[in-house]
Amino acid sequence: MDSTNNNSTGPDNINIKHLKHLGPKAIEFLTALYNNALNNNTIPHIWKLAKIVPIPKPQKDPGQGTSYRPISLLSPIAKTLEKVILPHITNNIDNNEHQHGFKAQHSTVTALHNINSVITAGFNQRKPAERTVMVSLDMSKAFDTVNIHTLIAKVQSTNTPPTIIKFVANYLKGRKAYTTYKHATSAQLKLKTGVPQGGVLSPTLFNIYMSDIPTPPEHVSLSTYADDITTLSSHVNTNTAQQNLQPYLTKL
């Protein structure tokens, strides 16, 4: 959850500042609410609702839907519970070495370091030096197009506690969203795919979704960050490097 204070509110009209200033009685009530949600797997409808605010992109035609960046606002109460749950998931999933996004001690820097190491290792060999062919893949609307049932099945195959798995499955299903723009509010629409944009659990859930990406064969390297996939192959002959890489790209 974003630790910075801002004045935006979720669909429940609650701001994170409200939660930061709760008294002892309110915290006791909130704790009971969270325990009930987890132990009985009961999730209020508003926790599954997203308020989408379109932000205009600079120098774009305001009459086109693609000219806006949708910002998804969720209930801060639900996001706080997500933050409590998160370690119970991250501590019980396999570590995939190629993944660099949303992991402790990993970042875009470590991903780029791996890519750079493959390329420079080829250049630093005795002549004839190896050249590297690199292909980068980026999935369009990756978080929005996740198959929920496939994701739940993959979460169930981890060592995550059953109570958490049941909650996550319920939390992902039956979600809705509406848009607010210039004081107008749209009807609520059901979301049939995707992980919640702006959700605390969503990046880790996406990592689980991507965890069974095919293992690269010999002479091929893989580095991923969220939905960005980078494949590399090195050889003294660039055509050979390309030929080594192509079957893996086809498999991907």
Side-chain angles (χ1 to χ4, degrees), residues 22-43:
L22 292 180
K25 282 287 183 184
I27 291 174
E28 189 178 316
F29 177 83
L30 194 61
T31 304
L33 182 67
Y34 285 158
N35 283 328
N36 181 60
L38 285 170
N39 295 329
N40 298 319
N41 200 14
T42 53
I43 301 176

Side-chain angles (χ1 to χ4, degrees), residues 104-149:
Q105 298 180 329
H106 288 75
S107 65
T108 51
V109 174
T110 57
L112 288 169
H113 175 74
N114 279 18
I115 294 167
N116 190 59
S117 294
V118 172
I119 296 168
T120 53
F123 280 136
N124 290 334
Q125 285 190 349
R126 288 184 177 180
K127 292 183 179 181
E130 289 188 344
R131 300 293 190 268
T132 301
V133 173
M134 183 176 94
V135 177
S136 293
L137 309 173
D138 179 40
M139 290 178 283
S140 177
K141 302 188 185 303
F143 273 44
D144 292 331
T145 54
V146 166
N147 184 301
I148 293 171
H149 299 289

Side-chain angles (χ1 to χ4, degrees), residues 211-232:
S211 61
D212 58 353
I213 192 170
T215 303
E218 194 178 2
H219 307 305
V220 174
S221 300
L222 173 68
S223 188
T224 67
Y225 188 99
D227 60 333
D228 289 305
I229 302 169
T230 302
T231 59
L232 308 98

Side-chain angles (χ1 to χ4, degrees), residues 97-211:
E97 291 185 4
H98 62 80
Q99 285 183 339
H100 292 264
F102 322 119
K103 281 171 61 176
Q105 298 180 329
H106 288 75
S107 65
T108 51
V109 174
T110 57
L112 288 169
H113 175 74
N114 279 18
I115 294 167
N116 190 59
S117 294
V118 172
I119 296 168
T120 53
F123 280 136
N124 290 334
Q125 285 190 349
R126 288 184 177 180
K127 292 183 179 181
E130 289 188 344
R131 300 293 190 268
T132 301
V133 173
M134 183 176 94
V135 177
S136 293
L137 309 173
D138 179 40
M139 290 178 283
S140 177
K141 302 188 185 303
F143 273 44
D144 292 331
T145 54
V146 166
N147 184 301
I148 293 171
H149 299 289
T150 302
L151 172 59
I152 292 170
K154 291 182 181 184
V155 174
Q156 288 171 335
S157 68
T158 69
N159 294 321
T160 302
T163 301
I164 304 295
I165 291 176
K166 288 178 184 176
F167 179 86
V168 168
N170 187 355
Y171 192 63
L172 290 173
K173 291 186 285 190
R175 300 193 68 87
K176 292 184 178 181
Y178 68 93
T179 303
T180 60
Y181 184 69
K182 291 186 177 179
H183 308 294
T185 301
S186 75
Q188 294 182 13
L189 290 178
K190 189 173 182 180
L191 305 173
K192 296 180 180 178
T193 61
V195 291
Q197 288 283 359
V200 177
L201 297 177
S202 298
T204 298
L205 291 175
F206 188 79
N207 273 357
I208 295 172
Y209 191 69
M210 294 286 289
S211 61

Side-chain angles (χ1 to χ4, degrees), residues 22-105:
L22 292 180
K25 282 287 183 184
I27 291 174
E28 189 178 316
F29 177 83
L30 194 61
T31 304
L33 182 67
Y34 285 158
N35 283 328
N36 181 60
L38 285 170
N39 295 329
N40 298 319
N41 200 14
T42 53
I43 301 176
H45 163 71
I46 207 156
W47 289 8
K48 295 187 181 187
L49 189 60
K51 179 170 87 174
I52 298 173
V53 180
I55 306 297
K57 296 178 182 177
Q59 291 152 0
K60 295 286 186 179
D61 178 9
Q64 298 292 322
T66 52
S67 300
Y68 295 83
R69 183 172 286 104
I71 303 300
S72 177
L73 301 174
L74 308 176
S75 165
I77 297 177
K79 288 180 70 174
T80 302
L81 181 56
E82 284 189 64
K83 193 167 185 178
V84 173
I85 289 172
L86 183 60
H88 297 280
I89 299 175
T90 54
N91 294 337
N92 288 289
I93 56 178
D94 293 334
N95 176 38
N96 289 290
E97 291 185 4
H98 62 80
Q99 285 183 339
H100 292 264
F102 322 119
K103 281 171 61 176
Q105 298 180 329

